[in-house]
Amino acid sequence: MIGAHPDDEDTQLITYLAKGRHIETAYLSLTRGDGGQNLIGNELGPLLGMIRTEELLAARRVDGGRQYFTRAYDFGFSKTAAETFKHWPRDSILRDMISVIRAYRPQVIISVWSGTPRDGHGHHQVAGILAREAFDLAGDTVRFPRAATNGLGAWQPLAFYRSARVFRGPAGPMAGAVPFDVGGYDVLEGRTYAAIAAESRSQHRSQGQGNLAPLGERLDHVRLEVARPPADSGDTTTLFPGIDTSFARFHALALPAAARAAVDSLDLVRGEIARRMDLARPSAMVAPIAHYLALVQRAHAGAAACARPGMPVPVCAGAMGEFATTMDEQARRATHALLLAAGVQLLATAPRDLIALGDHAPVTITLVNHGTNPVTFAGRDGRSAPTEVTPGQMTDETYQLAPTGEPTQAWWLRYPLQGDMFQLRAPGDDRGTPVPELLEGDDRVESSGVRVVLTIGGTTFSTEISPIVHRFADPASGEVDRPIAVVPPVSLRLDRAVEYARANTPFDRLERVHVRADASTPRRVAVRLSLPAGLAADSASRTVTLASGQEAELDFHLHGTLAPGAHTISAMATSDGQTFTTGFVAVEYPHIRTRREYREAELTVQAVDVDYAPGMRIAYIPGVGDNVEPMLEELGLAVTTVAPEQVAQADLARYSAVVVGPRAFDASEVLRASNQRLLDYARAGGTLVEQYGQYGMERLGLLPYPITLARPADRVTEEDAAVTILDPASPILNIPNKIGPADFEGWVQERSSYMPHTFDNHYHAILSMHDTGEPPNDAGILVAPVGRGTFEYVTLTFFRQLPAGNPGAARLFVNILSAKQNAAGAAGHPVP
């Protein structure tokens, strides 16, 4: 299944296929969703991409699917395929898609999207277009030779479908759609596939995808677009029209005699497993499953030439490659089934979750035999003398882990972004070096693991225990298994990567350096700052001694003045003759595994030539994915955070302006209930600034005067779109800061989002803008009188611009906050 983003996938169909029909099913998402918004925190960009990657992996652990990505970075909303292709080189994305197809070797591809403008989002359109192109070209070694696809040869899928939900009309799916009853009941799970899919879907918490399981019959559909060889598109009884999915498809394959005999026996032994199936006494199935695994091992040996060091998938093309891939999966499934039937529990644990490079830590491998059959344990990689573990007993083995190489980090972030593409190879690597993680799939890329050798039912095999975890009891949550990670011996970071300051005014600020030691012995660490011209610190360096796992906060008092522009502050630590300049930020949420983003201990201070009236006091009600409030404080404004539940009782009259963050009304029912207090504040003479919301903003009474939004909503996604001034004399563009064309330069990702399509005549428009080829929209800033005060509805994406340190956006936002002062100083031009 191919889509553009995390949460595009049809989880009901994935669940039905993977769990209901035991079909190997994967989802290939072109992006990691980096450009979206975040309902559970304030992470955006690559940090949000980490969250959404982990949400997809959590979803796949529920629905049984596999998970792949390409190198495309989600640069934000796009309206057309043409615009999207300006950001994503077509052949680069196709190479990644074809690499994944040649690694996974599917018989069937299902495109979530139609590849037409009806998909809306330009990313969706591109995913639909490229899904078909990848299907057509995966077998073409002239257009895409092995060297272009990570060393993998041709593979031709046999059927291409599109999700029928994108073709659904008033009467339901179009004729010829293949139906699946995703409402079917799974007796082992004790719930329907739709219920499992609802749990899977609900892992996308950052996108507000919490789902209620539907009851009763529920049909999902796909529509056949092309088959090779051509098949009857009217056959709605199977997903595999004319495709042999049995082992019989390998009858003509030239194999050694032992491998051939093993392959020919697999169906017979699988039948024996089925006859002995007894879920109350699974030990009865151990012998035939062990026999089946032994046959798969012998069969797989016939494709030994397909294995290459460093490659996680077979490199052979054609039928032999498919055979090797099939035997890989059969071995994986049979191993998992054998461990379950035998009641064998395997754990690999470490005493701490962070282990320093160059250090060491004990890892304990534990085997518990809960079954009724003896198990022979030969330890890590089969290095130990075989030990028999009888039923009801356990054994363990400890070895020293001594990590080398690089810290554990998101593999796609090893190298800097180039445009809107992740770089998967080292800069300058033009040899097409294979990228194992791309081919293996993120669901199987683990940060750690250990392989052990066992014998069960007379069959000896190896299996991977991954990840290695730090296992401990949390008083509130109970057992926690936290995957280990390799980190630097000493790491350091600053609080933020970007800050504002007022230019040419006294700079007096504490900059905090977080320094951490993870070596197993105490470290004495010296930290010093490198400062730009115009700033000095109260101390050249600070020194601290840290125990293992200890973190300290070192404050440097900086003072001076900064000229307008960007200035860099960096930190460096020295310890035991080593120098360290990087640190990590942990991304932690209860529903996903922890990720760490590594960054240089560096801060860009954007000094802005900005004025505002003394004594301004701002109340800020945070919105979704909102980092605006701290940026305002850095400009010297007095800002108080007011939570939605505090609005009803807060004394708003003491504030010069009250600001509602983006999508705050969408996210908070409590805030919606307190909306009258906000409007009363404005009527009493206050300045109420509301940043954009989605379709809920059309509710009567939420805004002082009505607006309407188009479906889909108007937005300006070209961050460099021309801005037309509609009212040059407006105080918003003149007081206290004169706003000009330079203030709209350097904006990121987009100009404006969810712009009203129409608005009441009480509103006065200040700016107009539009994307290429579209009509102008005047709703970037709407101003209206409300009683004795002013209401401003702002759809400009300040929530992206201010955290990025854009100086013009900061100057404009300060003017928007200054409406009360503007009215006093506008000299005959009061705020409309």
Side-chain angles (χ1 to χ4, degrees):
M1 184 176 292
I2 297 176
H5 309 107
D7 77 19
D8 282 0
E9 78 275 24
D10 185 341
T11 50
Q12 295 188 89
L13 187 52
I14 291 174
T15 303
Y16 174 85
L17 295 174
K19 284 190 172 289
R21 293 296 174 265
H22 307 289
I23 294 167
E24 286 291 328
T25 306
Y27 177 51
L28 169 58
S29 176
L30 300 194
T31 77
R32 297 174 185 270
D34 327 78
Q37 294 188 16
N38 184 359
L39 291 178
I40 61 173
N42 56 15
E43 298 90 349
L44 295 173
L47 285 175
L48 178 58
M50 285 186 184
I51 292 172
R52 298 190 69 184
T53 294
E54 282 298 325
E55 288 179 336
L56 266 184
L57 297 179
R60 296 297 82 81
R61 287 192 287 272
V62 172
D63 60 36
R66 302 283 318 283
Q67 185 59 53
Y68 293 90
F69 296 92
T70 76
R71 78 187 83 172
Y73 177 73
D74 181 351
F75 57 86
F77 189 82
S78 169
K79 295 179 179 177
T80 66
E83 180 191 354
T84 300
F85 279 128
K86 291 178 182 177
H87 293 261
W88 297 343
R90 190 183 198 120
D91 269 15
S92 296
I93 303 297
L94 262 178
R95 278 198 300 272
D96 288 353
M97 296 173 74
I98 291 173
S99 293
V100 170
I101 290 170
R102 290 178 175 181
Y104 185 67
R105 294 183 173 89
Q107 280 94 354
V108 170
I109 289 178
I110 301 172
S111 174
V112 173
W113 300 107
S114 69
T116 68
R118 78 170 68 195
D119 295 332
H121 201 317
H123 298 183
H124 296 166
Q125 297 176 45
V126 164
I129 292 167
L130 294 185
R132 176 58 193 269
E133 289 187 16
F135 172 85
D136 291 336
L137 295 170
D140 187 342
T141 55
V142 175
R143 174 79 182 275
F144 289 95
R146 276 182 180 268
T149 57
N150 290 272
L152 297 179
W155 173 255
Q156 181 56 63
L158 300 177
F160 181 86
Y161 292 85
R162 293 196 190 272
S163 171
R165 66 182 182 179
V166 300
F167 298 101
R168 191 182 299 268
M174 64 166 43
V178 180
F180 304 94
D181 182 10
V182 296
Y185 188 74
D186 188 311
V187 295
L188 296 183
E189 291 272 355
R191 51 183 177 163
T192 66
Y193 304 121
I196 299 169
E199 181 186 345
S200 169
R201 191 77 179 172
S202 297
Q203 303 307 307
H204 297 290
R205 297 185 191 177
S206 69
Q207 305 306 298
Q209 295 287 321
N211 221 271
L212 186 65
L215 303 177
E217 182 183 69
R218 187 173 180 85
L219 295 180
D220 204 343
H221 300 81
V222 296
R223 182 181 62 85
L224 180 66
E225 186 167 294
V226 64
R228 296 188 176 176
D232 178 10
S233 61
D235 182 0
T236 60
T237 63
T238 177
L239 191 64
F240 299 93
I243 301 172
D244 186 356
T245 59
S246 73
F247 293 135
R249 68 189 191 276
F250 300 125
H251 280 340
L253 189 63
L255 292 171
R260 168 53 60 201
V263 173
D264 292 344
S265 301
L266 287 175
D267 282 334
L268 182 66
V269 178
R270 190 159 56 180
E272 179 62 18
I273 296 170
R275 282 190 293 275
R276 293 203 195 180
M277 182 179 292
D278 185 342
L279 300 182
R281 293 191 318 106
S283 59
M285 302 162 64
V286 166
I289 294 175
H291 186 193
Y292 187 89
L293 177 57
L295 290 174
V296 169
Q297 290 173 338
R298 288 203 293 273
H300 196 265
C306 294
R308 290 286 187 279
M311 289 289 281
V313 296
V315 298
C316 298
M320 184 59 79
E322 183 190 11
F323 175 76
T325 299
T326 301
M327 291 302 110
D328 274 349
E329 290 304 327
Q330 289 298 304
R332 185 181 293 270
R333 287 179 176 232
T335 298
H336 181 59
L338 183 55
L339 291 172
L340 289 174
V344 172
Q345 180 182 8
L346 292 167
L347 296 171
T349 58
R352 58 186 189 272
D353 59 324
L354 300 182
I355 302 171
L357 276 169
D359 212 337
H360 62 274
V363 172
T364 299
I365 304 167
T366 302
L367 183 152
V368 185
N369 186 353
H370 299 289
T372 60
N373 296 275
V375 176
T376 301
F377 177 65
R380 180 169 63 113
D381 295 326
R383 301 179 188 184
S384 304
T387 299
E388 184 175 279
V389 185
T390 55
Q393 300 300 306
M394 61 182 288
T395 188
D396 57 41
E397 172 183 292
T398 300
Y399 72 97
Q400 292 295 319
L401 177 66
T404 59
E406 61 181 23
T408 304
Q409 59 181 316
W411 66 270
W412 64 94
L413 293 176
R414 287 190 189 121
Y415 309 112
L417 272 167
Q418 186 171 348
D420 289 313
M421 300 283 283
F422 293 111
Q423 295 307 295
L424 306 186
R425 300 181 178 89
D429 182 353
D430 55 3
R431 297 170 298 170
T433 303
V435 181
E437 297 91 342
L438 176 75
L439 307 178
E440 188 169 20
D442 278 57
D443 60 303
R444 291 184 180 171
V445 175
E446 293 286 4
S447 58
S448 62
V450 58
R451 185 161 286 276
V452 297
V453 175
L454 310 175
T455 301
I456 300 176
T459 297
T460 299
F461 61 96
S462 68
T463 188
E464 180 90 3
I465 309 172
S466 59
I468 301 169
V469 298
H470 172 46
R471 183 170 179 255
F472 63 96
D474 180 272
S477 305
E479 180 177 334
V480 177
D481 293 334
R482 184 168 293 165
I484 66 167
V486 177
V487 297
V490 174
S491 54
L492 72 165
R493 61 179 175 84
L494 298 167
D495 275 334
R496 287 173 288 278
V498 177
E499 289 183 1
Y500 278 136
R502 290 184 76 185
N504 299 321
T505 60
F507 183 99
D508 191 327
R509 187 175 297 178
L510 284 178
E511 290 296 352
R512 177 164 292 172
V513 180
H514 301 261
V515 58
R516 177 187 175 94
D518 283 293
S520 57
T521 56
R523 299 291 290 255
R524 183 175 173 81
V525 183
V527 178
R528 63 183 178 87
L529 294 185
S530 175
L531 301 175
L535 293 186
D538 61 343
S539 175
S541 68
R542 301 212 189 290
T543 301
V544 64
T545 299
L546 299 172
S548 179
Q550 186 178 3
E551 184 171 323
E553 297 174 348
L554 306 180
D555 290 334
F556 290 80
H557 187 188
L558 307 186
H559 55 88
T561 59
L562 292 171
H567 307 268
T568 301
I569 297 172
S570 60
M572 180 177 69
T574 55
S575 177
D576 288 1
Q578 295 176 285
T579 299
F580 304 93
T581 61
T582 62
F584 58 83
V585 175
V587 179
E588 298 181 274
Y589 287 95
H591 66 302
I592 58 175
R593 290 182 177 177
T594 299
R595 289 272 189 180
R596 293 169 182 84
E597 184 208 31
Y598 279 84
R599 60 176 66 161
E600 291 292 319
E602 213 171 72
L603 163 66
T604 298
V605 179
Q606 183 66 246
V608 184
D609 186 6
V610 62
D611 291 322
Y612 49 80
M616 281 185 64
R617 301 179 68 184
I618 311 299
Y620 197 97
I621 303 168
V624 171
D626 189 357
N627 289 307
V628 169
E629 182 269 335
M631 308 304 291
L632 298 177
E633 286 187 322
E634 290 160 8
L635 291 171
L637 290 163
V639 185
T640 300
T641 300
V642 178
E645 56 270 19
Q646 296 174 317
V647 171
Q649 302 300 323
D651 179 11
L652 301 179
R654 62 196 186 99
Y655 297 108
S656 312
V658 174
V659 183
V660 179
R663 294 183 62 189
F665 285 109
D666 298 327
S668 175
E669 185 176 346
V670 172
L671 182 61
R672 294 194 296 273
S674 301
N675 182 55
Q676 192 58 48
R677 286 222 66 214
L678 297 175
L679 295 177
D680 289 345
Y681 158 81
R683 291 188 180 99
T687 299
L688 178 59
V689 180
E690 293 189 2
Q691 297 176 73
Y692 90 96
Q694 294 184 329
Y695 299 108
M697 303 308 290
E698 295 177 312
R699 292 188 189 96
L700 290 178
L702 195 58
L703 302 183
Y705 308 107
I707 62 170
T708 66
L709 282 80
R711 268 61 168 179
D714 296 341
R715 56 206 303 170
V716 178
T717 61
E718 296 171 9
E719 63 271 21
D720 57 354
V723 177
T724 300
I725 305 300
L726 299 178
D727 183 3
S730 169
I732 284 179
L733 302 178
N734 292 278
I735 302 174
N737 303 287
K738 181 69 175 177
I739 302 300
D743 293 300
F744 294 100
E745 294 177 357
W747 286 43
V748 298
Q749 189 161 321
E750 56 190 345
R751 286 273 195 220
S752 193
S753 190
Y754 283 84
M755 306 173 77
H757 192 67
T758 67
F759 48 86
D760 187 90
N761 289 334
H762 285 86
Y763 291 109
H764 179 70
I766 308 297
L767 307 171
S768 183
M769 60 192 72
H770 62 90
D771 281 333
T772 302
E774 295 190 352
N777 186 299
D778 301 344
I781 302 174
L782 298 177
V783 185
V786 178
R788 293 184 287 114
T790 302
F791 177 83
E792 297 167 290
Y793 190 64
V794 181
T795 62
L796 298 179
T797 56
F798 288 113
F799 78 99
R800 295 197 190 278
Q801 311 314 320
L802 269 64
N806 183 275
R811 286 162 43 84
L812 178 57
F813 200 79
V814 167
N815 281 16
I816 290 170
L817 298 177
S818 304
K820 184 177 291 188
Q821 287 74 18
N822 291 350
H829 191 110
V831 175

